[in-house]
Amino acid sequence: MITIRHLRKEYQGVTPLKDVNAEIGKGEVISVIGPSGTGKSTLLRCLNRLEMPTSGEILVDGEDIMRRGADLSAVRRKMGMVFQSFNLFSHKMIVENIMMAPMDLLGLKPQEAYDEGMRLLEMVGLGEKALAYPDELSGGQKQRVAIARTLAMHPEIVLFDEPTSALDPTMVGEVLSVIRALAREGLTMMIVTHEMKFARDVSTRIFYMDQGEIYEDGPPEQIFDRPKRERTRAFVKRLKVFEREIVSRRFDFIEINTAIEEFGRRQILSQRNINNIQLIFEELCVQTLLGHMGEDVRLKFAVEVSEVDDSCRVTVVYAGEEFDPFAACGDSLSMMLVSRLVRRHGHCFRDGNNEIDLDL
């Protein structure tokens, strides 16, 4: 239904979209996730031409909506949008808010528009609020009305721009349940969201946006369980990372050991885990790997702590020929100590670099 090719959007001093490419099929539910400021909302606003892209192509059902003379009204009838700020008319009753666009743009008679509005309000659980005014509704109820209003135009595609970000946490669930129901009906949707569990549950695909592009695209199982790229993994696991690089045998061991202690305390690690990380650094990196290296010392030591599941991983990357200390020196005192401290370890060699991952 939608093809995006080399989409770019520049503002003065900032370029939120640098090179976005994607294909979106009928019936897909795509959640767009990523750090703040990576162009997620800008992408949606470009898709329905609320923003004019700087360059690139957007094809909707084969029609280039960026060409001069494109019928933007037809595009927006086909592609509804739900904003984070509701945008309801405060001086009109709830059902009137829903009736307006179908009467003005689709030519429905008042009774037809009213009947359709009531059907949609019942669908989102707000039939009894039809004659109320927006100020009488909670934030979650207003957003459900906004969804009903969008559906009244019978769009083929619905774009949701962070539909729960303006809501009190107690109201988020009622809006997400409506979106889940729409997903089950096969409506094509693109949802910018920070609700990771919801994105995982409802989506057929996930776009992880970073660095002005769709950095990784895949099914929820891939993005959340087996991400292929490091930035994706850091985001979905909400990783806090400690890193040090060693390029000389005369590095400051005390500084690194102290920094590991401070990092562990900030992440509320147990003293036992902090001590284990320090011991891994000393026995694996200092005693074993530096002892194996020649004069050219290049080693990176990293610790990742996940805010999602409190898991802790140590990664060591070092240059040189292929060398797995667990296989080559597994019976040494240092490596036996390290093996006892970790639940799992793995080694790989690619592009002239060794990498060891250890899960505590």
Side-chain angles (χ1 to χ4, degrees):
M1 294 185 75
I2 303 175
T3 298
I4 306 167
R5 295 179 184 146
H6 304 297
L7 191 68
R8 184 179 181 88
K9 176 61 180 177
E10 299 175 6
Y11 300 103
Q12 188 169 358
V14 64
T15 305
L17 302 179
K18 295 178 181 176
D19 186 19
V20 176
N21 298 273
E23 297 273 352
I24 299 166
K26 184 175 178 61
E28 288 198 284
V29 179
I30 296 175
S31 288
V32 186
I33 64 172
S36 298
T38 52
K40 303 183 299 295
S41 293
T42 303
L43 173 60
L44 261 59
R45 296 175 69 85
C46 286
L47 287 182
N48 73 351
R49 284 290 308 277
L50 288 173
E51 298 274 1
M52 179 59 183
T54 305
S55 61
E57 287 183 294
I58 302 172
L59 305 178
V60 179
D61 286 337
E63 179 185 356
D64 183 359
I65 68 170
M66 288 177 56
R67 65 176 175 80
R68 184 173 297 177
D71 187 348
L72 294 185
S73 295
V75 169
R76 289 170 186 154
R77 285 196 297 270
K78 183 178 291 188
M79 192 183 303
M81 188 158 182
V82 178
F83 300 89
Q84 37 183 306
S85 54
F86 321 137
N87 296 339
L88 301 176
F89 292 104
S90 60
H91 64 290
K92 290 188 175 291
M93 291 184 291
I94 295 305
V95 73
E96 290 178 308
N97 268 274
I98 298 174
M99 292 168 60
M100 288 175 63
M103 289 170 59
D104 292 344
L105 301 175
L106 301 182
L108 264 64
K109 295 176 181 178
Q111 187 62 50
E112 293 174 321
Y114 175 81
D115 292 341
E116 178 66 358
M118 289 303 299
R119 183 186 72 81
L120 291 168
L121 283 173
E122 293 289 349
M123 188 191 78
V124 299
L126 292 173
E128 63 181 13
K129 299 291 186 181
L131 303 183
Y133 287 86
D135 288 347
E136 301 173 53
L137 272 58
S138 70
Q141 290 171 332
K142 290 176 185 177
Q143 191 61 289
R144 283 187 277 160
V145 172
I147 293 172
R149 180 186 55 188
T150 298
L151 297 176
M153 291 297 293
H154 301 288
E156 298 177 26
I157 306 155
V158 179
L159 309 176
F160 293 87
D161 186 10
E162 300 194 44
T164 61
S165 65
L167 301 180
D168 184 281
T170 60
M171 302 174 187
V172 169
E174 61 191 62
V175 174
L176 297 184
S177 67
V178 171
I179 300 175
R180 281 192 178 95
L182 296 176
R184 289 193 294 269
E185 293 180 9
L187 185 64
T188 306
M189 296 189 285
M190 182 178 286
I191 309 161
V192 172
T193 183
H194 290 287
E195 302 286 341
M196 296 297 105
K197 184 178 186 305
F198 168 75
R200 181 179 186 130
D201 291 347
V202 79
S203 307
T204 58
R205 282 165 73 195
I206 304 286
F207 289 172
Y208 172 68
M209 289 194 68
D210 207 333
Q211 300 182 320
E213 62 181 22
I214 297 174
Y215 184 83
E216 187 166 348
D217 168 9
E221 297 76 17
Q222 173 194 315
I223 299 298
F224 289 104
D225 296 336
R226 298 180 299 279
K228 296 180 179 179
R229 305 187 70 181
E230 278 304 307
R231 283 178 178 268
T232 314
R233 192 170 73 86
F235 179 80
V236 299
K237 298 291 186 183
R238 295 206 295 272
L239 298 178
K240 299 297 183 181
V241 181
F242 168 89
E243 287 185 338
R244 283 295 189 276
E245 192 163 359
I246 298 172
V247 294
S248 166
R249 294 184 181 279
R250 293 187 295 275
F251 73 96
D252 191 339
F253 175 82
I254 293 176
E255 186 278 329
I256 294 182
N257 223 33
T258 303
I260 291 172
E261 176 94 26
E262 292 173 351
F263 171 80
R265 288 183 176 173
R266 285 198 305 274
Q267 308 315 316
I268 321 180
L269 294 182
S270 67
Q271 189 60 50
R272 179 179 180 180
N273 262 351
I274 294 171
N275 293 342
N276 288 349
I277 293 168
Q278 291 172 319
L279 191 58
I280 288 169
F281 175 69
E282 181 174 0
E283 299 297 340
L284 175 60
C285 297
V286 180
Q287 298 298 334
T288 304
L289 294 177
L290 290 186
H292 173 76
M293 292 179 179
E295 290 303 312
D296 185 17
V297 173
R298 283 180 295 153
L299 181 148
K300 185 172 79 171
F301 178 82
V303 183
E304 298 174 342
V305 178
S306 171
E307 292 182 348
V308 175
D309 55 14
D310 295 325
S311 61
C312 183
R313 171 176 288 189
V314 173
T315 302
V316 184
V317 179
Y318 48 101
E321 64 187 20
E322 183 172 2
F323 174 67
D324 178 359
F326 288 96
C329 321
D331 56 353
S332 69
L333 177 60
S334 288
M335 294 311 300
M336 285 192 290
L337 283 172
V338 171
S339 295
R340 293 187 64 176
L341 297 177
V342 301
R343 293 184 294 105
R344 186 203 65 84
H345 61 79
H347 169 270
C348 69
F349 179 76
R350 57 176 176 268
D351 302 325
N353 283 310
N354 293 271
E355 181 174 318
I356 294 175
D357 292 320
L358 309 103
D359 292 333
L360 273 67

